[in-house]
Amino acid sequence: YSMHAKIKVKNFGPVVSGYEGNDGWMDIAKVTLFCGPQGSGKSSVAKLISLLSWLEKSVYRDPELRIDREAFVQALEWQNIANYLKPETEISYQGTLLTFAYANEEVSARLIWDEKDPYVVPKISYMPAERNFASIVRVADRVEGLPRPLVDMQVEFNRAKKFFAAGFRLPANGFKFKFDKDPWIVNGDDPNANMTRLEEASSGLQSLVPMLLVSEYLEGHLAKGDSAHFAGLFYDPGTAEKKERIDAYVRDLRDRGDLSSAQKSLRLEQYFAPGRRFLNLVEEPEQNLYPETQREVVNALVAIANRKPENVLIMSTHSPYVLNQLVTASLAATIESKAELAKVFPLASAVAQADMRLYELDGHGRISLLGTPNGVFDDHNVLNAALKDWNELFDRMLGIKARELRGGVRRDA
């Protein structure tokens, strides 16, 4: 896998100066993580990657599609981040098919066709932090005012529930998901005992189930070779809004007199081109989960990304457990004794350090890349620093308590 997408962000929402190195360009690697405190801009950058990847895919499907400021703002509104634009905002993106720049409140976009590095159509999934809602309300597309990524995710979740109806093992204390008119959580191997409806299960399971089921479902339904011709075999519009947009495109194309039948067929083939790689963007995979389960979930998401060289996993997190599990995954990739490694770490979840980028947002508008002394990620980052500060605070308080017990501290001081 080679990184063939990168992004630059400045003065957009909480992100001010942006990335400190490489002239501001951040590589989008096979596994990319944004960590930092609340409000530092992690999700903002991930959402930009999502929508710019989607615009790139849209241009592939319709080469005459014009990406101007209006189209870009509409995409930002879909992700609820249009209000982050400022007069001084700078955003640049370079993919395999599209170069994009936003500066001085203007958009410039240009197509790139490179036969040596052809564009591979992605399935793009954005897992919002509000995904618990999809476990409770089953018709999100009928509820007004919901974030659009949540509505789209639930469309896929409803399909995934039926696909995995017979059972899906969850990386959480032996729990299992099954679907029979209602979505159920099964505790143990007996499907007739210890069953709880998903909407009544713990908040952690309500977050975990849609995230993993949708990821497994979408990656498992990537088109394989010539089996997915443009006839629509793998193309499902999902919502009524999307179906109307697709029907309008087909009608307009059919009525055009300036294109030959061959040109129309090519346009249709590109428009209905099925996804052949999986771009999975996940907000806070750790949401409401026990630390050990967080590590298992990261392993599961990375293993999904590892199934195809072109798959990409992008996550935002507040959790030191998520971050440190990726550091562990990069170390695992360097170990040659696979039989020994398999005893302590799942081989399918190892990621070469060259295929990973871990970015830290400091809460003051700056982004940095975590260091790699001696060729291995170290543990110096804002999340581990928070743990260290807590440990030091607790040790100081223990010291005060010890002196109290010895009578060396006045209790009314």
Side-chain angles (χ1 to χ4, degrees):
Y1 175 78
S2 61
M3 282 168 287
H4 39 203
K6 56 184 180 179
I7 190 170
K8 181 192 294 189
V9 184
K10 291 185 177 181
N11 298 310
F12 181 76
V15 180
V16 184
S17 57
Y19 181 49
E20 297 176 339
N22 197 27
D23 193 31
W25 286 101
M26 290 180 284
D27 292 323
I28 302 169
K30 181 175 188 63
V31 175
T32 302
L33 182 80
F34 298 99
C35 69
Q38 273 103 354
S40 57
K42 303 180 300 299
S43 295
S44 300
V45 177
K47 288 176 179 178
L48 282 174
I49 295 171
S50 171
L51 67 87
L52 288 167
S53 300
W54 177 78
L55 286 174
E56 184 174 35
K57 178 178 177 178
S58 299
V59 170
Y60 176 80
R61 286 184 166 166
D62 182 4
E64 294 182 4
L65 181 67
R66 184 182 177 189
I67 299 181
D68 53 16
R69 189 179 190 280
E70 181 181 0
F72 180 54
V73 171
Q74 285 179 349
L76 292 172
E77 288 173 345
W78 189 85
Q79 280 284 12
N80 291 329
I81 52 175
N83 60 325
Y84 285 174
L85 284 177
K86 307 171 186 175
E88 61 272 23
T89 293
E90 296 180 26
I91 299 169
S92 299
Y93 172 84
Q94 184 169 325
T96 54
L97 184 67
L98 178 72
T99 60
F100 171 94
Y102 179 93
N104 300 316
E105 301 185 279
E106 295 293 332
V107 164
S108 62
R110 181 169 59 89
L111 281 176
I112 306 170
W113 294 95
D114 187 351
E115 295 181 358
K116 297 179 181 178
D117 193 11
Y119 180 69
V120 181
V121 178
K123 278 184 179 287
I124 303 171
S125 173
Y126 196 93
M127 307 279 180
E130 305 93 339
R131 58 185 170 271
N132 294 58
F133 186 87
S135 293
I136 302 170
V137 177
R138 305 180 197 181
V139 286
D141 56 331
R142 301 180 193 173
V143 180
E144 294 185 6
L146 290 180
R148 295 304 303 171
L150 177 59
V151 175
D152 278 8
M153 191 215 71
Q154 192 183 56
V155 170
E156 301 295 353
F157 183 41
N158 287 337
R159 295 177 186 146
K161 285 188 293 188
K162 296 176 182 178
F163 183 80
F164 292 110
F168 181 88
R169 182 72 64 181
L170 300 169
N173 299 330
F175 287 109
K176 188 177 180 181
F177 171 88
K178 71 186 296 284
F179 182 77
D180 181 11
K181 295 183 181 179
D182 290 309
W184 298 91
I185 298 297
V186 182
N187 187 2
D189 293 323
D190 184 357
N192 298 314
N194 300 318
M195 291 177 61
T196 305
R197 285 187 176 86
L198 179 59
E199 60 262 34
E200 298 171 354
S202 71
S203 59
L205 289 169
Q206 291 174 3
S207 173
L208 182 151
V209 168
M211 174 176 62
L212 284 186
L213 258 68
V214 170
S215 296
E216 287 280 3
Y217 174 76
L218 291 179
E219 204 286 330
H221 283 74
L222 291 174
K224 308 291 192 300
D226 295 331
S227 64
H229 197 54
F230 76 93
L233 200 60
F234 287 80
Y235 196 93
D236 189 331
T239 63
E241 176 188 352
K242 285 187 177 180
K243 185 178 186 305
E244 183 178 341
R245 188 166 64 244
I246 292 167
D247 290 343
Y249 177 83
V250 173
R251 284 196 307 270
D252 292 344
L253 184 63
R254 181 191 58 202
D255 295 338
R256 287 186 58 171
D258 60 326
L259 297 176
S260 67
S261 296
Q263 289 173 320
K264 290 180 181 180
S265 294
L266 180 61
R267 292 286 178 89
L268 282 174
E269 188 163 356
Q270 289 184 204
Y271 193 83
F272 289 101
R276 299 182 186 273
R277 65 185 179 95
F278 186 35
L279 174 54
N280 195 14
L281 300 103
V282 182
E283 284 188 10
E284 301 172 27
E286 73 275 9
Q287 192 177 68
N288 304 326
L289 296 176
Y290 186 70
E292 181 59 32
T293 306
Q294 293 181 35
R295 292 192 286 266
E296 295 295 334
V297 164
V298 171
N299 286 341
L301 291 172
V302 171
I304 291 170
N306 275 339
R307 289 178 192 159
K308 282 183 71 72
E310 302 88 357
N311 287 350
V312 172
L313 170 65
I314 299 172
M315 297 182 287
S316 62
T317 187
H318 304 122
S319 171
Y321 303 104
V322 170
L323 172 58
N324 289 329
Q325 190 65 15
L326 289 183
V327 173
T328 304
S330 71
L331 177 59
T334 69
I335 296 175
E336 297 181 3
S337 304
K338 301 304 181 187
E340 289 296 309
L341 175 62
K343 297 176 183 178
V344 297
F345 190 87
L347 300 182
S349 300
V351 183
Q353 187 169 294
D355 288 335
M356 190 183 296
R357 292 292 183 273
L358 308 179
Y359 294 102
E360 178 179 285
L361 292 85
D362 66 358
H364 302 287
R366 297 183 295 266
I367 304 174
S368 59
L369 187 68
L370 293 187
T372 55
N374 303 316
V376 179
F377 286 114
D378 64 20
D379 61 355
H380 296 292
N381 57 72
V382 67
L383 299 181
N384 282 342
L387 290 177
K388 180 182 176 183
D389 289 345
W390 180 86
N391 285 327
E392 290 179 350
L393 172 63
F394 194 76
D395 287 344
R396 291 179 64 185
M397 294 175 68
L398 283 177
I400 295 172
K401 184 64 178 177
R403 291 196 298 276
E404 273 188 354
L405 295 174
R406 293 193 303 267
V409 176
R410 286 181 55 192
R411 301 189 181 190
D412 59 348

